[in-house]
């Protein structure tokens, strides 16, 4: 197995590095300055089919291994990701513009997730059920589902791919990974790393190419048994529609609209530090980014003043520089989307406290840079209060009390991450209970995640959970085996 060379990237199918079947390529453009980084195979439906066939062939090999044997691949891959952090971080920074220091931070979390799934090997538990009849051993065991289609987005490409790939491998499934077309090399690198870690040929396949072609084939092909997609709500809904009659297990991690609620007794200084990171990390392009800040009247002035002050010191620049905190948005579409939301809010009466403009000076030309932007006086009619922002902007609302805060927080179609700041534990727990979100952080931002916790959303934020044993629920099925040591009496027996 040789490493890939950037002058001719290839896809991984059945243990071999291959071009697209028709030889076509697409351009991998840098978000930093819009220049061409590399050309990448433009996979076809045929390529996706071949990858599914390779994964199907490899199923038995992986399923026959013990979980601890499979864990060894994950420990090795984690070590390799750790050792190659600089190289991997540079790729993601070049591809989608994440500031390099944050890209390295994400890779640290990617390593932790990979090891966490390896640790799960000792906890893939079955059950022995009590029986109504004597002499019966009633065993419930876990079995792999088969082939996992792992369809990843661009915003945390390594972290969100490892959530799928490592979960698939530890549970004895094989996998076809389709990285986002904005970050295709991250997927190719994963193919390299997991193959180097010793996975048998076909256990991991990587097919690059357009979502509506390669992704669509992975979704519709009867050969895939689990579809694990992280991405836009609209894509998730399409997947549900297309698989409705195919009896696949569907795991969807979709959009979010995280509320960050500071109650009247919340610790303002801590909350400001936390909100700063959770609003602007990854240039706000995170499903659990703080999208709406809801403040009690008692703390509003102090919070806004300190938050604006802190955000105005963020360093905007070339994301390859270690001091940069705000780099470009991934592409023009994303920058235009943020701009439209800000304009709509201003038209409807929001007050601009910071930012609100493109950045064109002291940044590489050709990228899509936007200032950290803070708006106050937001109302429910504004798009910025309903649509995912996915950029370095946030809307603030001052609320009359806890009930109003909870109502506003819940009044969106999303239900992923949320955050509550208060010193009163009774109030915190009451609010946590009332919030319609898959995750509630008390005195921490929605950005707090641990590898073995159940990350995921309710409402239109998706279905299924990623993390530790919660992933195992989705990636494994049950088999019920009974052993009978005493002959049973049947109704047809003479004299019954
Ligand atoms: P996306 O457009 O849904 O793309 C995600 C993946 O789906 C990409 O690999 C894409 O391929 C593929 N895809 C596109 N169309 C497809 C189709 N018809 N069939 C199958 N696959 C298809 O989402 P994105 O723009 O990359 O990601 C941003 C979104 O992800 C945001 O809404 C964000 O909130 C969400 N997100 C959610 C979580 C979470 O854990 N809940 C985490 C991170 C991000 P191409 O790139 O080739 O189009």
């Amino acid at each position: 197995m040789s490493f890939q060379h950037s002058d001719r990237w290839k896809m991984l199918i059945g243990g071999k590095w291959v071009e697209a079947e028709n030889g076509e390529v697409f351009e991998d453009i840098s978000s930093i300055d819009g220049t061409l980084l590399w050309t990448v195979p433009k996979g076809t439906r045929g390529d996706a089919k071949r990858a599914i066939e390779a994964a199907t062939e490899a199923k038995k090999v992986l399923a026959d291994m013990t979980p601890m044997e499979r864990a060894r691949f994950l420990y090795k891959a984690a070590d390799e990701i750790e050792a190659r952090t600089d190289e991997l971080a540079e790729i993601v920074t070049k591809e989608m513009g994440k500031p390099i220091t944050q890209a390295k931070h994400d890779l640290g979390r990617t390593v932790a997730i990979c090891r966490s799934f390896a640790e799960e090997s000792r906890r893939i538990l079955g059950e022995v059920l009590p029986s109504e009849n004597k002499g019966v051993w009633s065993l419930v065991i876990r079995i792999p589902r088969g082939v996992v289609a792992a369809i990843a987005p661009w915003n945390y490409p390594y972290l969100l791919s490892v959530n799928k790939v490592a979960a698939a491998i530890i549970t004895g499934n094989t996998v076809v990974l389709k990285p986002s077309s904005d970050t295709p090399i991250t997927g190719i690198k994963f193919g390299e790393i997991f193959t180097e870690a010793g996975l048998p040929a076909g256990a991991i396949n990587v097919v690059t190419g357009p979502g509506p072609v390669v992704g669509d084939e992975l979704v519709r092909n009867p050969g895939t048994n689990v579809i694990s997609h992280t991405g836009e709500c609209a894509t998730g809904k399409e997947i549900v529609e297309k698989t409705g009659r195919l009896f696949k297990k569907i795991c969807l991690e979709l959009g979010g609209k995280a509320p960050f609620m500071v109650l009247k007794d919340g610790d303002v200084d801590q909350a400001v530090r936390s909100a700063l990171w959770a609003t602007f990390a990854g240039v706000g392009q995170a499903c659990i980014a703080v999208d709406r800040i809801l403040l009690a009247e008692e703390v509003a002035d102090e919070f806004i003043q300190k938050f604006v002050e802190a955000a105005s010191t963020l360093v905007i620049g070339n994301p390859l520089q270690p001091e940069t905190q705000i780099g470009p948005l991934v592409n023009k579409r994303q920058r235009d989307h943020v701009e439209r939301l800000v304009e709509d809010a201003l038209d409807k009466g929001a007050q601009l406290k910071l930012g609100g403009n493109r950045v064109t000076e002291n940044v590489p030309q050709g990228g899509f840079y936007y200032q950290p932007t803070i708006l106050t006086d937001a109302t429910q009619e504004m798009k910025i209060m309903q649509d995912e922002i996915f950029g370095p902007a946030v809307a603030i609302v001052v609320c009359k009390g806890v009930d109003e805060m909870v109502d506003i927080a819940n009044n969106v179609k999303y239900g992923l991450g949320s955050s509550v700041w208060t010193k009163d534990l009774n109030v915190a727990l009451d609010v946590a209970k009332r919030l319609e979100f898959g995750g509630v952080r008390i005195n921490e931002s929605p950005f707090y995640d641990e590898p073995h916790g159940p990350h995921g959303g309710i409402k239109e934020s998706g279905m299924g959970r990623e993390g530790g044993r919660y992933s195992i629920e989705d990636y494994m099925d049950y088999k019920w085996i009974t052993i009978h040591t005493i002959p049973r009496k049947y109704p047809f027996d003479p004299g019954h």
Side-chain angles (χ1 to χ4, degrees):
M1 150 78 205
S2 60
F3 273 29
Q4 287 277 300
H5 294 291
S6 58
D7 54 348
R8 201 155 188 90
W9 296 109
K10 291 188 183 163
M11 310 186 291
L12 178 65
I13 299 182
K16 296 202 171 66
W17 292 102
V18 297
E19 317 252 350
E21 60 177 358
N22 57 11
E24 281 194 32
V25 291
F26 69 98
E27 295 186 336
D28 187 8
I29 302 293
S30 175
S31 300
I32 298 179
D33 54 11
T35 54
L36 174 67
L37 285 170
W38 300 293
T39 57
V40 185
K42 190 172 174 185
T44 62
R45 281 191 188 276
D47 292 317
K49 280 182 190 154
R50 282 191 296 134
I52 294 167
E53 280 161 20
T56 307
E57 256 182 56
K59 254 179 3 186
K60 190 169 176 331
V61 183
L62 212 62
D64 281 351
M65 291 180 182
T66 66
M68 290 69 161
E69 282 173 308
R70 299 192 293 255
R72 279 189 219 134
F73 303 129
L74 299 191
Y75 282 123
K76 275 195 187 157
D79 290 348
E80 190 71 8
I81 295 168
E82 198 166 47
R84 291 169 64 181
T85 291
D86 289 351
E87 171 205 344
L88 299 174
E90 191 176 316
I91 288 169
V92 77
T93 297
K94 285 182 173 166
E95 285 195 314
M96 55 71 74
K98 179 165 301 201
I100 190 90
T101 314
Q102 294 168 39
K104 288 181 187 173
H105 176 81
D106 293 354
L107 279 156
R109 290 177 60 209
T110 304
V111 170
I113 291 170
C114 200
R115 291 190 179 134
S116 162
F117 276 113
E119 287 160 14
E120 286 300 324
S121 62
R122 296 189 183 273
R123 293 190 286 267
I124 298 179
L125 304 177
E127 275 184 318
V128 180
L129 303 182
S131 177
E132 290 183 0
N133 299 298
K134 289 209 173 100
V136 177
W137 291 87
S138 187
L139 312 178
V140 181
I141 64 162
R142 315 299 291 271
I143 51 168
R145 288 185 187 272
V147 176
V148 174
I151 306 178
W154 48 266
N155 61 337
Y156 286 79
Y158 296 120
L159 191 155
L160 296 168
S161 297
V162 86
N163 256 334
K164 304 175 189 320
V165 171
I169 300 300
I170 201 63
T171 48
N173 296 280
T174 54
V175 60
V176 181
L177 171 64
K178 194 213 100 54
S180 162
S181 297
D182 286 303
T183 51
I185 310 304
T186 62
I188 290 175
K189 285 286 152 186
F190 254 33
E192 227 179 68
I193 285 168
F194 281 86
T195 307
E196 282 290 307
L199 270 180
I204 179 167
N205 305 271
V206 180
V207 185
T208 48
V213 178
V214 173
D216 185 74
E217 184 61 39
L218 296 180
V219 167
R220 291 181 193 267
N221 192 303
T224 56
N225 310 97
V226 178
I227 310 294
S228 180
H229 164 262
T230 299
E232 281 188 15
C233 217
T235 317
K237 285 181 181 175
E238 254 186 62
I239 291 173
V240 171
E241 273 167 24
K242 287 173 187 167
T243 53
R245 297 167 72 86
L246 292 173
F247 305 112
K248 301 188 186 214
K249 186 75 184 176
I250 309 294
C251 316
L252 299 173
E253 299 295 340
L254 309 174
K257 189 86 193 139
F260 185 94
M261 306 157 67
V262 187
L263 276 49
K264 63 180 181 192
D265 63 340
D267 182 328
V268 172
D269 289 324
Q270 292 277 27
V272 165
R273 284 178 48 246
S274 184
L276 190 71
W277 169 244
T279 304
F280 298 111
V283 199
Q285 299 167 119
C287 55
I288 44 176
V290 167
D291 242 29
R292 301 171 292 157
I293 297 180
L294 311 179
L295 302 174
E297 287 171 312
E298 293 84 348
V299 296
D301 289 346
E302 184 188 352
F303 182 95
I304 292 168
Q305 184 242 319
K306 289 181 171 169
F307 186 54
V308 171
E309 213 172 276
S312 61
T313 66
L314 290 169
V315 179
I316 309 171
N318 185 329
L320 285 168
Q321 305 296 331
E323 64 276 12
T324 295
Q325 292 168 308
I326 302 282
L329 285 139
V330 67
N331 53 31
K332 179 174 183 306
R333 180 179 153 233
Q334 205 60 40
R335 198 270 319 274
D336 291 353
H337 167 73
V338 176
E339 236 170 20
R340 271 197 302 274
L341 292 185
V342 171
E343 273 165 26
D344 173 78
L346 291 174
D347 284 349
K348 291 178 179 155
Q351 300 295 311
L352 187 65
K353 294 290 176 189
L354 187 73
N357 283 306
R358 299 175 183 186
V359 182
T360 49
E361 283 175 16
N362 302 321
V363 291
Q365 298 306 300
F368 300 97
Y369 296 78
Y370 196 79
Q371 292 173 327
T373 296
I374 300 172
L375 298 161
T376 57
D377 300 271
T379 59
Q380 290 298 86
E381 294 70 42
M382 298 173 185
K383 289 197 181 109
I384 206 161
M385 289 293 288
Q386 297 297 329
D387 298 352
E388 203 177 16
I389 303 175
F390 235 60
V394 67
I396 298 183
V397 184
V398 180
C399 302
K400 288 216 158 30
V402 174
D403 289 347
E404 190 186 6
M405 267 186 200
V406 172
D407 284 350
I408 294 176
N410 286 341
N411 189 10
V412 285
K413 66 178 182 181
Y414 298 109
L416 192 61
S418 63
S419 160
V420 185
W421 291 76
T422 174
K423 296 189 187 88
D424 187 329
L425 195 55
N426 288 340
V427 174
L429 290 175
D430 175 56
V431 173
K433 221 163 125 186
R434 291 159 64 195
L435 283 172
E436 297 165 0
F437 291 83
V440 182
R441 306 279 163 263
I442 294 165
N443 298 325
E444 178 50 282
S445 82
F447 246 67
Y448 183 80
D449 241 333
E450 293 198 54
H452 56 293
H455 170 73
I458 57 175
K459 291 158 78 175
E460 294 199 15
S461 287
M463 53 201 210
R465 292 291 181 271
E466 279 189 333
R469 68 186 173 88
Y470 302 95
S471 293
I472 287 167
E473 289 302 321
D474 284 339
Y475 284 67
M476 300 200 89
D477 216 331
Y478 291 103
K479 184 176 281 186
W480 183 26
I481 302 172
T482 59
I483 306 163
H484 303 262
T485 60
I486 301 173
R488 187 183 150 199
K489 291 197 167 52
Y490 298 98
F492 283 179
D493 287 350
H496 185 272

